[in-house]
């Protein structure tokens, strides 16, 4: 390995990057360079280890995968020997290639939206006398809705625990699961949990298929291991069944914040025990200033740092009279920083170097309004996918779903409802069906949707969405400014997603493949301009020179629902993750009073997490 490579890494980092054979568990704190170490290990395996093999590098987010690919771009064609993506993305590829062994044909059609899964379950309930009766016994409509929600949660829990829930003793849960699965099967659709569950079953029930992937991927690297759940660990364990032991997991139990998705750092520790992995700790922090590190240590006194930057930085508390005043103070400070800069931030401070984090999106509502009022550029990432502002683009995407999956009567019915037409006859091809629906509709946008779908249909064998997007823009040109801008913005996002799909697509350029990638967030633009307005969970893996943690009041952060010891511990980790996104400056803000949803004004106590903050 070249000398320059060695000089760039610490001894601990180098031991990880040059590790070749055998299981390895790396406990890496925030800012310890784990992404660099992971990337350099992949580089070392691809360039210095002889043999015909591929590397499987699994990241937590598509953004992390894109960053890793960019860092390895200088390898040229050699980089193609590594699959770099999320575990769900890998499972999608496996099922698209060999899903026939578990009853799939082609790429799975994914129902990623909760409302779609709920509709599938509600329809399934009406067709099951046992479940219908259970629901009919509940007279209160809100309670019935809660019961359906509880059943949906039970379905997800069972699917995400394929080992502990291999046998279901609760008859009601089993009936709900069977009814839901039958409903999904009728639509030829799958949910996110199915991607993991079916891949696990594929490897377990078909050892020869598992052998193919074990021979193909000689080395496996998994990032953010503290956020694995049972299903994710089960997939990795099934893939490594037998003698495959060249597995590396990197994570930090202090940053485990996805307990609501049944993830737990216990699976990271279990890997260490099950695989008897060599353990390496990366305890430096090359990201954050001394002030930020000191504050992080007040959140977790066990957080030890053996090396850190010689940059002082600062941590400040801003107290607003109420939510609006809190927003004003944040905007004031941002504008001051843009104008004056800060000695600890090189090259001045611009919007792209700043982020405002809220425990939930509600903590950011007044801040968003204030940024808009002042014309401060910002972007939001409060949910996984772009939410369309225009009905015509929504219609177009729903129609694409049905075009890709003719058995998807759920979305066909949704389109009919949006157009206020009767349930269509599905005996014809989809283009004929949608034209018949359009002939009955009064909505002005319908013609544009039909014409855009017809443009896609012309080139299905070599899919091209660009002509369809042009049709939508031409429709927008005849509308007033507000409607036109909404369509143009939604189409611009679709263009970016289509371009990303073309650049990253490795298999067939098909409509199901594009829609699956869109559902998994794999075709999203990974970088945006302006101040980042993020929930704590969507900030995971990111870093900014300036971070504002907003809404730092009791009941807001920590969240009022965190009543048990387990939930309180996770809230503490949430605060730790949020604080360590800051590279130089950290602001902790809260409103001293707040208008409650029912209209009362209530005094707010500062968050317990501010105890260690400077006055």
């Amino acid at each position: 390995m070249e000398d320059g490579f060695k000089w760039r890494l610490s001894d601990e980092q180098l031991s990880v990057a040059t590790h070749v054979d055998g299981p390895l568990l790396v406990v890496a704190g925030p800012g310890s360079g784990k992404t660099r170490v992971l990337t350099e290990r992949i580089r070392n395996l691809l360039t210095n280890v002889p043999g015909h093999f591929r590397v499987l590098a699994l990241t937590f987010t598509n953004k992390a995968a894109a960053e890793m690919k960019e860092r390895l771009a200088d390898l040229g064609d050699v980089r193609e020997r590594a699959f770099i993506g999320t575990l769900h993305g890998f499972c999608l590829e496996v099922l698209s290639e060999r899903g026939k062994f578990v009853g799939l044909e082609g790429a799975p059609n994914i129902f990623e939206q909760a409302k779609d899964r709920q509709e599938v379950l509600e329809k399934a309930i009406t067709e099951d006398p046992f479940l219908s009766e259970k629901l009919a016994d509940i007279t209160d409509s809100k309670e019935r809705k809660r019961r359906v929600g509880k059943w949906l949660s039970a379905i997800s829990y069972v699917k995400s625990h394929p080992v502990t829930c291999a046998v279901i003793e609760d008859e009601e849960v089993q009936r709900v699961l069977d009814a839901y699965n039958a409903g999904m099967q009728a639509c030829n659709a799958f949910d996110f949990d199915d991607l993991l569950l079916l891949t696990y079953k594929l490897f377990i029930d078909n050892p020869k298929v598992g052998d193919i992937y074990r021979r193909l991927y000689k080395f496996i690297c998994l990032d953010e291991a503290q956020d694995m759940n049972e299903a994710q660990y089960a997939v990795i364990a099934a893939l490594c069944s037998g003698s495959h032991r060249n597995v590396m997991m990197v994570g930090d139990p202090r940053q485990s914040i996805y307990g609501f998705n049944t993830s737990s750092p216990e699976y990271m520790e279990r890997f260490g025990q099950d695989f008897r992995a060599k353990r390496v700790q990366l305890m430096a922090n090359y990201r954050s200033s001394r002030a930020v590190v000191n504050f992080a240590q007040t959140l977790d006194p066990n957080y030890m740092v053996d090396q850190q930057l010689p940059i002082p930085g600062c941590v400040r508390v801003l107290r607003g009279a109420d939510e609006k005043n809190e927003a004003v103070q944040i905007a004031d400070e941002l504008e001051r920083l843009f104008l004056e800069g800060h000695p600890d931030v090189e090259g001045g401070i611009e919007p792209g170097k700043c982020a405002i984090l809220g425990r939930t999106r509600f903590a950011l509502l007044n801040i968003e309004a204030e940024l808009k009022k002042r014309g401060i550029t910002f972007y939001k990432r409060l949910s996984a996918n772009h939410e369309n502002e225009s009905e015509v683009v929504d219609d177009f995407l729903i129609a694409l779903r049905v075009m890709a999956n003719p058995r998807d009567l759920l979305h066909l019915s949704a389109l009919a409802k949006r157009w206020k037409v009767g349930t269509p006859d599905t005996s014809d091809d989809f283009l004929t069906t949608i034209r018949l629906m359009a002939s009955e509709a009064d909505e002005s946008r319908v013609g544009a949707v039909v014409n855009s779908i017809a443009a896609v249909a012309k080139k299905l064998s070599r899919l091209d969405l660009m002509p369809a997007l042009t049709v939508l823009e031409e429709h927008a040109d005849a509308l007033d400014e507000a409607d036109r801008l909404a369509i143009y913005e939604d189409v611009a996002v679709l263009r970016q997603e289509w371009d990303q799909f073309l650049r990253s697509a490795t298999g067939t350029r098909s409509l199901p493949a594009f829609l699956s990638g869109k559902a998994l967030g794999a075709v999203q633009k990974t970088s945006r301009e302006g101040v980042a307005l993020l929930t704590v969970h969507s900030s995971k893996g990111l870093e900014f020179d300036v971070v504002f943690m907003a809404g730092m009041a009791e009941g807001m952060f920590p969240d009022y629902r965190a009543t048990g010891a387990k939930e309180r511990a996770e809230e503490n980790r949430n605060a730790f993750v949020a604080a360590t996104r800051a590279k130089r400056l950290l602001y902790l803000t809260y409103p001293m009073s707040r208008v409650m949803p029912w209209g009362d004004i209530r005094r707010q106590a500062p968050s317990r997490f501010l105890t260690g903050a400077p006055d």
Side-chain angles (χ1 to χ4, degrees), residues 304-604:
M304 303 301 293
V305 177
D306 60 9
Q307 293 182 62
Q308 65 182 103
L309 298 173
I311 297 172
C314 81
V315 175
R316 282 183 59 194
V317 177
L318 300 179
R319 300 170 181 85
D322 53 25
E323 306 103 308
K324 290 185 178 180
N325 185 247
E326 178 191 22
V328 166
Q329 290 202 46
I330 289 172
D332 283 348
E333 187 63 13
L334 278 172
E335 290 185 331
R336 187 189 71 78
L337 291 170
F338 297 157
L339 184 65
E340 301 175 8
H342 190 281
D344 290 343
V345 181
E346 294 181 5
I349 297 176
E350 55 197 35
K353 292 183 176 182
C354 306
I356 305 170
L357 311 183
R359 174 62 183 83
T360 67
R361 63 188 179 88
F362 298 108
L364 302 171
L365 293 176
N366 284 284
I367 298 164
E368 179 181 349
E370 187 65 25
L371 296 183
K372 280 182 181 176
K373 179 180 171 184
R374 301 195 189 199
I376 297 174
T377 307
F378 70 93
Y379 69 91
K380 295 188 294 182
R381 197 170 81 203
L382 308 179
S383 58
N385 282 305
H386 170 74
E387 295 178 7
N388 293 311
E389 299 290 336
S390 62
E391 289 186 315
V392 70
V393 174
D394 257 347
D395 288 353
F396 172 66
L397 288 172
I398 292 171
L400 281 184
R401 282 176 172 270
V402 186
M403 192 177 201
N405 177 19
R407 284 167 54 190
D408 185 358
L409 299 185
L410 179 80
H411 286 99
L412 184 62
S413 298
L415 194 61
K417 188 175 181 181
R418 289 170 66 90
W419 289 0
K420 301 179 178 68
V421 300
T423 304
D425 179 6
T426 56
S427 57
D428 295 310
D429 65 90
F430 178 61
L431 193 54
T432 302
T433 300
I434 196 173
R435 280 175 172 153
L436 287 171
M437 290 168 61
S439 67
E440 299 176 22
D442 293 328
E443 305 291 338
S444 59
R445 66 185 188 275
V446 168
V449 178
V450 172
N451 290 338
S452 60
I453 289 296
V456 175
K458 285 179 183 177
K459 295 190 176 182
L460 267 183
S461 58
R462 183 66 175 164
L463 184 65
D464 186 4
L465 288 190
M466 297 304 279
L469 301 184
T470 301
V471 170
L472 294 172
E473 285 178 332
E474 288 172 350
H475 166 71
D477 289 338
L479 304 176
D480 61 42
E481 185 178 5
D483 291 336
R484 182 170 67 252
L485 288 175
I487 294 172
Y488 262 77
E489 182 178 329
D490 290 342
V491 169
V493 172
L494 266 178
R495 283 187 194 279
Q496 290 167 358
E497 292 177 339
W498 176 245
D499 182 60
Q500 180 68 21
F501 173 71
L502 293 181
R503 284 191 280 116
S504 61
T506 53
T508 308
R509 200 168 99 179
S510 67
L511 189 52
F514 171 70
L515 292 174
S516 295
K518 184 173 170 59
L520 291 178
V523 297
Q524 286 185 344
K525 187 178 180 182
T526 56
S527 60
R528 301 283 294 274
E529 295 178 357
V531 176
L533 216 57
L534 309 170
T535 59
V536 174
H537 287 93
S538 64
S539 74
K540 187 74 180 293
L542 305 179
E543 55 184 49
F544 303 89
D545 285 296
V546 182
V547 169
F548 291 80
M549 289 172 61
M552 297 298 292
E554 285 294 308
M556 296 175 71
F557 199 172
D559 190 275
Y560 68 94
R561 292 165 292 190
T563 55
K566 184 178 178 182
E567 291 81 7
R568 288 196 297 270
E570 181 153 325
E571 285 298 282
N572 204 91
R573 295 196 295 270
N574 271 312
F576 182 84
V577 166
T580 53
R581 298 311 93 203
K583 294 165 68 174
R584 301 292 181 265
L585 315 179
L586 176 63
Y587 293 85
L588 307 158
T589 78
Y590 72 95
M592 292 189 288
S593 68
R594 185 159 67 105
V595 178
M596 306 307 288
W598 51 88
D600 290 351
I601 297 175
R602 178 172 293 181
R603 295 290 297 173
Q604 297 289 288

